[in-house]
Amino acid sequence: MMAVIPPPREYTILLTHLHRPSSSLPLSTHQSLISHFLAQTLTPTPLTATVISSPLFRPFSHAKLVTLVTAFRHAVHLRLKAIENEETTLFTRGIRPRMTEWVHGIVKGFKGGQAVIRFVCAGGILFGSEDLKSKLGADPGTGSVRAKTEDELIIALTEILDLYGAPKDSTWEKEFQPETERGELGALSLALLFAAQFLPHVFSERIKVLPLFTLSSHLMTTIESTFSSGTFLATLPSSCSTTPSGQLSLTTPAGPKQPSFPYDGPGPWSRSAPLSTALRAVIDSPLFSAVASVASISAKILSLLTECSPLDGWNTLEAVATRLEQIASNVESHWAQSALARIENEDDIESESHQVAENIWIVLKTLLFTTIMLSQSIVSTVTYSHPASSPVASLDPKNKKFAHLPTHSSLSLSTLRTLSRLSFVITKFGGVTSTSSDGFAELKRVFYSALDVLSADVEASERFVKALNPLVATSSSSGEYLTDPLTRSRQAFNLACVEQLVPLLSLNTIEHTVFPLCLPHLNDVSHRETYESAHSVILAIFAHQGSTMTAEIHRTGVPEPTFVEKIVPFYARCLLENSADGKLTTAQLRLAYSALTSSASGNSLAMGQFCLLSLLSTLAGASAPRDAQRRHRLRLVLVSTLSALPLIVLPEALNAMSSAIRDSNANERGELAREVFKEIMENVGDQEKEYCLRWWEERCNALAESSEVEDGKASLARL
């Protein structure tokens, strides 16, 4: 008779503690012991069943569930190492079959266990398999280590959604038979945090088995809970005060804390809590640290749901877009009511409040990243898919009635409205039009993609632009436009939208909505983003609407100047005024004046000549020594107009160019000569180029003694 080998003492101690509702050993010790003994046994089913049913991990807590995930993840590593260290013979099975058998033994121990515990344990095995996929393989087929684990994980998550997804019928049950430890998240929220980590590693075809509509809704609710539906700044207006030195303080108590009643959730969102406490509760929450992964898996679920069930998918896209817009609306509302919204310099905030201000921006930026991630999924999905049936109405199979479906344009508009409400955060990244390396690439991708989708609907584009009023100040005494940072950031965002939609807009909208929207910002350099966006919109009008407006005049036969002709003198004067230092850069000024001259020349020869004469007049007036930089900048602008002028006006421009080069100093003369030659060779039209080349050949020797001119002459000779 074989002697029975008693189990190690540590194993007995582990079992003893697993059968108790509490333990004197730390969780890290339990994690190490579970990993070790799971890996050392050929039949892990009994120990797995003991762990799964252990009262030690009930009620749930984030730390306990992390312990289980880590224990099973490490067990996979240890088991593979133990198999690799075993002596092998000719008849020894391979590593993968033995690992598969061991995993099957663990999964057998899950039978009858609580769904959340099974879910996190299966997730731990999945993580371990992912870590070692180069050795274990990533075969999604039936029977593999990966497949068995993923199947169990999907089954457990489905049970969790059924068990905790519906509202609790009994508050009594919630209070006196708690599923989670006091102060912890609910069981569903905890499970979703882990689902956000597990599901990205699960085969997409298995994810489609889940109730995706329900899962998406709960994930969005989790995101709303992370930011308290956008009310985390509710105490900000009442927390702002001014110190005797005139600085802003954010540490003013928001009022006495109200008592928490037995059946009220202890959540951190009470309006009576001080701002710093509320922000710290947000940042320290497990939801906040996991919100990126929650948003990422939510984006993936949206795409899969739309693919599997277009009707549910499009309705879910609309629901998510609407909920994101509401969060952004609440945040903007509370921000706008606070004194912090009018602060532009960090030095205007007292030092004791810097940490609070920093925490505010941490949460705001995290909210923006989350919004971008979900919005990107929405825009990408609608770009490559269509509603289940007509975009006007669809038969709802549940309610047996006609339900209106969202459209491509309605979803893109909702996305743009959400981004507009968060424009005061977007400004911190340089805005949506920033070309610097510090710009937010994903933000720009969502922004321009949403505009592309919207531009397919001309009527919706018109309505969107007409709703963008100039936002005049309420003060009747000044009548000036609002200049606070929040308004300026919103205006810059709106102008960036309008610039892309100009080709679709009617003449009436251009004249009565778009132009008044730009007008207050064309000379206001105090807010660079708005200033540059306003000029970009005006140039877009000239680029895309000039020929259309001229054609309409020809059809009607009305001998009135076109809208372009009406604003050419104004905008020419505006650009020349903005040629001073600190306003438009030389490159911006050259591009803008060339575009203006080209558009004006295309509509009217007189208008093109007017642009040239205005430039020459301003150049003649900049003769003082203090105007040296501006004078050189204007001469470079003159170079750029050469390609925009018709042949009949070119002689006057070239004669002026000769004088400009002759009157410049040595350094400037070389640059001007080089730029003239470049403009002639690269930008001047074929018909005008012949004349310009003859002029260049005749004037080349007389222009200036510079290496650049000689290089240009040599290049011309080679041609």
Side-chain angles (χ1 to χ4, degrees):
M1 183 176 179
M2 288 182 58
V4 177
I5 301 176
R9 181 172 177 271
E10 293 84 356
Y11 185 74
T12 304
I13 293 174
L14 173 63
L15 292 179
T16 301
H17 282 271
L18 288 177
H19 285 94
R20 296 174 181 172
S22 61
S23 172
S24 58
L25 298 176
L27 287 174
S28 58
T29 301
H30 284 286
Q31 176 255 300
S32 299
L33 290 173
I34 292 171
S35 298
H36 174 77
F37 288 112
L38 280 176
Q40 294 303 316
T41 178
L42 296 174
T43 55
T45 303
L47 178 56
T48 302
T50 302
V51 173
I52 292 291
S53 60
S54 173
L56 182 62
F57 302 105
R58 302 287 299 273
F60 308 132
S61 73
H62 188 259
K64 291 176 181 178
L65 297 181
V66 168
T67 297
L68 290 173
V69 172
T70 307
F72 280 79
R73 182 178 193 170
H74 288 180
V76 176
H77 287 259
L78 295 174
R79 183 57 187 165
L80 179 62
K81 186 176 181 180
I83 291 176
E84 290 175 336
N85 292 336
E86 290 178 357
E87 294 184 5
T88 60
T89 67
L90 183 62
F91 302 100
T92 302
R93 292 184 301 163
I95 291 177
R96 291 188 185 182
R98 283 183 284 170
M99 282 295 295
T100 301
E101 182 181 9
W102 178 77
V103 170
H104 285 188
I106 287 183
V107 173
K108 285 181 182 178
F110 289 172
K111 187 175 182 180
Q114 207 282 337
V116 175
I117 300 294
R118 286 161 41 215
F119 181 64
V120 296
C121 292
I125 300 173
L126 179 65
F127 275 165
S129 302
E130 180 70 18
D131 296 338
L132 304 171
K133 64 181 178 181
S134 60
K135 296 181 178 180
L136 301 179
D139 180 18
T142 305
S144 66
V145 172
R146 192 67 172 253
K148 190 67 177 176
T149 305
E150 291 182 4
D151 287 342
E152 182 59 35
L153 190 140
I154 293 297
I155 293 170
L157 181 55
T158 303
E159 291 184 22
I160 291 170
L161 294 174
D162 288 339
L163 184 62
Y164 300 109
K168 286 292 182 183
D169 295 330
S170 172
T171 305
W172 180 277
E173 177 186 359
K174 181 177 179 181
E175 286 297 320
F176 293 98
Q177 294 182 357
E179 298 152 350
T180 58
E181 291 185 351
R182 185 171 181 81
E184 287 278 344
L185 301 171
L188 180 60
S189 294
L190 282 174
L192 291 176
L193 292 188
F194 288 99
Q197 302 174 42
F198 301 155
L199 291 181
H201 304 294
V202 176
F203 187 43
S204 295
E205 292 303 315
R206 288 194 174 89
I207 297 179
K208 291 179 181 179
V209 177
L210 290 166
L212 297 180
F213 180 83
T214 302
L215 177 58
S216 177
S217 177
H218 289 310
L219 286 169
M220 190 60 210
T221 299
T222 301
I223 292 172
E224 286 177 326
S225 299
T226 303
F227 302 103
S228 187
S229 298
T231 63
F232 60 89
L233 291 181
T235 58
L236 176 59
S238 57
S239 297
C240 295
S241 61
T242 304
T243 65
S245 61
Q247 292 180 305
L248 177 67
S249 172
L250 301 175
T251 58
T252 301
K257 186 173 180 60
Q258 300 298 323
S260 179
F261 290 94
Y263 303 112
D264 289 341
W269 317 119
S270 171
R271 289 180 62 85
S272 61
L275 176 63
S276 58
T277 304
L279 290 170
R280 180 49 56 189
V282 174
I283 294 174
D284 291 343
S285 169
L287 290 176
F288 188 77
S289 59
V291 72
S293 57
V294 173
S296 178
I297 194 60
S298 297
K300 183 175 182 178
I301 295 300
L302 287 175
S303 178
L304 292 175
L305 177 57
T306 307
E307 179 184 339
C308 297
S309 176
L311 178 60
D312 285 340
W314 276 72
N315 285 329
T316 303
L317 292 175
E318 182 182 44
V320 171
T322 301
R323 294 165 82 171
L324 286 174
E325 187 177 350
Q326 185 59 53
I327 293 174
S329 176
N330 292 338
V331 169
E332 185 194 40
S333 175
H334 294 131
W335 177 265
Q337 297 173 40
S338 71
L340 183 60
R342 293 179 286 279
I343 296 294
E344 299 186 69
N345 194 331
E346 187 178 339
D347 294 336
D348 293 333
I349 303 175
E350 65 167 354
S351 58
E352 292 80 2
S353 298
H354 281 179
Q355 185 59 54
V356 178
E358 182 179 343
N359 288 341
I360 290 174
W361 283 108
I362 288 174
V363 180
L364 287 174
K365 290 177 181 179
T366 304
L367 172 60
L368 177 62
F369 297 155
T370 303
T371 302
I372 293 301
M373 199 174 298
L374 290 170
S375 298
Q376 188 169 1
S377 177
I378 292 172
V379 175
S380 298
T381 301
V382 302
T383 300
Y384 300 105
S385 65
H386 296 276
S389 57
S390 168
V392 178
S394 176
L395 184 62
D396 187 337
K398 298 178 181 178
N399 300 324
K400 301 301 180 183
K401 63 182 181 181
F402 281 94
H404 288 280
L405 284 178
T407 62
H408 292 80
S409 58
S410 68
L411 290 173
S412 63
L413 280 171
S414 183
T415 299
L416 291 171
R417 287 195 298 265
T418 300
L419 295 179
S420 177
R421 294 187 182 281
L422 294 177
S423 56
F424 70 97
V425 186
I426 293 173
T427 299
K428 297 295 181 179
F429 297 92
V432 291
T433 59
S434 172
T435 57
S436 68
S437 58
D438 297 331
F440 190 178
E442 290 78 7
L443 167 63
K444 296 176 188 176
R445 189 177 302 117
V446 171
F447 173 72
Y448 288 109
S449 296
L451 284 171
D452 283 343
V453 173
L454 177 61
S455 63
D457 188 335
V458 176
E459 292 185 8
S461 300
E462 280 273 354
R463 290 195 301 269
F464 174 67
V465 172
K466 286 181 178 179
L468 303 178
N469 293 321
L471 299 175
V472 181
T474 56
S475 173
S476 58
S477 59
S478 64
E480 296 180 353
Y481 284 81
L482 293 173
T483 57
D484 63 275
L486 178 63
T487 302
R488 290 203 306 263
S489 62
R490 172 76 77 87
Q491 290 170 335
F493 182 90
N494 291 342
L495 288 169
C497 293
V498 172
E499 180 185 354
Q500 303 302 314
L501 299 175
V502 161
L504 308 172
L505 302 179
S506 66
L507 305 181
N508 183 68
T509 303
I510 290 288
E511 184 171 359
H512 296 99
T513 301
V514 175
F515 188 69
L517 197 67
C518 301
L519 195 57
H521 312 292
L522 293 174
N523 290 293
D524 182 11
V525 77
S526 61
H527 190 246
R528 195 76 195 181
E529 185 184 0
T530 311
Y531 172 69
E532 294 181 355
S533 293
H535 280 281
S536 295
V537 172
I538 297 298
L539 292 175
I541 293 174
F542 282 111
H544 298 289
Q545 293 291 341
S547 59
T548 303
M549 286 183 275
T550 302
E552 176 134 349
I553 292 297
H554 287 309
R555 286 197 304 270
T556 59
V558 179
E560 294 182 359
T562 66
F563 177 67
V564 167
E565 291 174 330
K566 290 178 182 177
I567 65 174
V568 162
F570 159 78
Y571 193 57
R573 183 174 65 254
C574 176
L575 287 177
L576 294 173
E577 290 173 354
N578 280 275
S579 64
D581 294 342
K583 296 196 172 185
L584 291 175
T585 66
T586 301
Q588 290 172 334
L589 187 63
R590 292 180 65 178
L591 180 64
Y593 207 84
S594 175
L596 170 66
T597 305
S598 177
S599 178
S601 300
N603 282 277
S604 167
L605 178 63
M607 285 292 99
Q609 192 168 26
F610 172 83
C611 291
L612 174 62
L613 293 176
S614 297
L615 173 59
L616 296 179
S617 175
T618 304
L619 188 55
S623 57
R626 66 175 182 275
D627 295 328
Q629 289 186 348
R630 185 188 182 202
R631 185 166 58 247
H632 183 60
R633 187 180 298 117
L634 290 170
R635 286 168 176 168
L636 289 172
V637 172
L638 178 60
V639 173
S640 298
T641 61
L642 296 178
S643 59
L645 292 169
L647 182 59
I648 194 172
V649 185
L650 267 178
E652 187 175 4
L654 291 173
N655 289 335
M657 196 71 254
S658 298
S659 300
I661 296 176
R662 184 178 58 252
D663 296 340
S664 300
N665 60 43
N667 293 332
E668 294 175 349
R669 190 180 304 134
E671 181 183 2
L672 287 174
R674 184 180 64 252
E675 289 296 314
V676 168
F677 183 76
K678 181 180 178 181
E679 186 74 12
I680 292 173
M681 298 307 299
E682 296 181 3
N683 300 324
V684 171
D686 293 339
Q687 183 179 2
E688 292 83 5
K689 182 177 293 187
E690 181 180 356
Y691 179 85
C692 290
L693 289 177
R694 287 200 305 269
W695 170 86
W696 175 265
E697 182 67 20
E698 293 170 0
R699 297 290 191 277
C700 193
N701 293 326
L703 286 177
E705 295 180 0
S706 68
S707 59
E708 288 82 359
V709 173
E710 293 301 320
D711 290 343
K713 185 176 180 181
S715 300
L716 180 61
R718 286 195 297 271
L719 293 175

